[in-house]
Amino acid sequence: MKVQNPETAHPAFKMMVRRTSDYKAPGGKLVRVRMEEKNGEIETIRISGDFFLVPEDQLSKLEKMLIGAPLKARELKLLVDRFFVATRVKGLGVSPDDFVQAVLTATVVE
Amino acid sequence: MAVEEAIPRTVGKGKAPTTVRFWHNANTVVLGCFQSAQLEVNFDACKQTGTQVVRRFTGGGAVYHDAGNLNYAISLREGHPVIPKDDNLQLVFRRLSEGTVKGLRDLGVSAEFEPINDIQVDGKKVSGAAGSVRWGAVFHHGCVLVSSDLTILGKVLNVSRAKLSDKHVASVQKRVTTVREELARHVTTFEVQDAIVKGIEECYGVHLENADLTKEELALAQELYDTKYSRSEWNLSP
């Protein structure tokens, strides 16, 4: 008896979940995250806010690094810390952990 | 905004002297470089009030400019004796706000620097600053609310609840004040400018002379305007 493989019989529909957070960092600045998650991983992400990062042209690198990352504290912290070390970016009003918290606290948009 | 970027780039190369620039413009929301235009700006209110939206190259939060607002910008080469030695941005903000604080205090406004980047009077913001260390230069700019229309400011900026959560106020409008309000008299941007010039001269032991932008600064500003600051991809990025 042949058993039809369900993975090939039907197209797969993966659920994209939109998440958002406005995270007020202890340093006083706001980190706003708008992202899409698929299967527990970041599919797209936009980070904005009124913080300071010098040099200013590096933030898009962090966004790129986070694509595909699992929504888990340890993995996110490793990536964000690596970004700050590699780019030698300095933050003011915001710390590396604030970016991690902003992503982790993003809630599902109904 | 193009001139604002052209000056530190030129100063950093050593092709222009240490510069303090004063300017003001018509109704404009100026976004910080990391901010989302869609999230921060009430575009309907901008349309109703004839307010344009532009983006600066420095971080920090959105501000509202009108003719009652005085902007100042200080550009120095890295290593200038006025600047804290390690170029720590927080120390730079504090140090380069001193001239403005002094100027406002000499006018009779009890202004104080409030970290991270504000000048406040009794807990209300009268000036916000931003800055960067790039291109071999240290750059600091700020806007002083001299007699700005705070009702328009309250309409055109969307301020998130999270941002105001520890401010104990319900709106950005209640969190800010103007020099005119504090002095309870008519005051012009030129009067405030003169006071800040004196404040800078006294705080840093320098003498400021009127001068025009250099040819290189003007050419670079035109290029930056054409390729960046006139474009919605830069000004209105989501």
Side-chain angles (χ1 to χ4, degrees), chain A residues 24 27-28 32 48 50 56, chain B residues 34 40 116 132 134 163 166:
Chain A
K24 178 81 177 279
R32 312 186 87 165
S48 66
D50 62 352
E56 289 83 358
Chain B
F34 302 120
E40 307 294 340
I116 296 172
S132 188
R134 280 177 90 174
K163 186 67 192 175
D166 63 352

Side-chain angles (χ1 to χ4, degrees), chain A residues 40-83:
Chain A
E41 295 180 349
I42 297 171
E43 184 78 5
T44 64
I45 187 164
R46 167 83 171 102
I47 301 170
S48 66
D50 62 352
F51 47 83
F52 293 95
L53 282 183
V54 174
E56 289 83 358
D57 54 3
Q58 301 294 310
L59 184 63
S60 59
K61 284 185 186 168
L62 176 60
E63 292 171 334
K64 281 178 190 162
M65 286 174 75
L66 289 171
I67 290 172
L71 289 175
K72 293 179 179 171
R74 189 168 169 274
E75 283 83 349
L76 290 171
K77 183 169 168 45
L78 278 171
L79 277 170
V80 173
D81 285 347
R82 191 186 303 163
F83 162 77

Side-chain angles (χ1 to χ4, degrees), chain A residues 13-28:
Chain A
F13 290 95
K14 293 182 178 175
M15 187 176 288
M16 199 85 86
V17 180
R18 284 173 59 214
R19 288 179 177 270
T20 176
S21 79
D22 288 346
Y23 175 78
K24 178 81 177 279

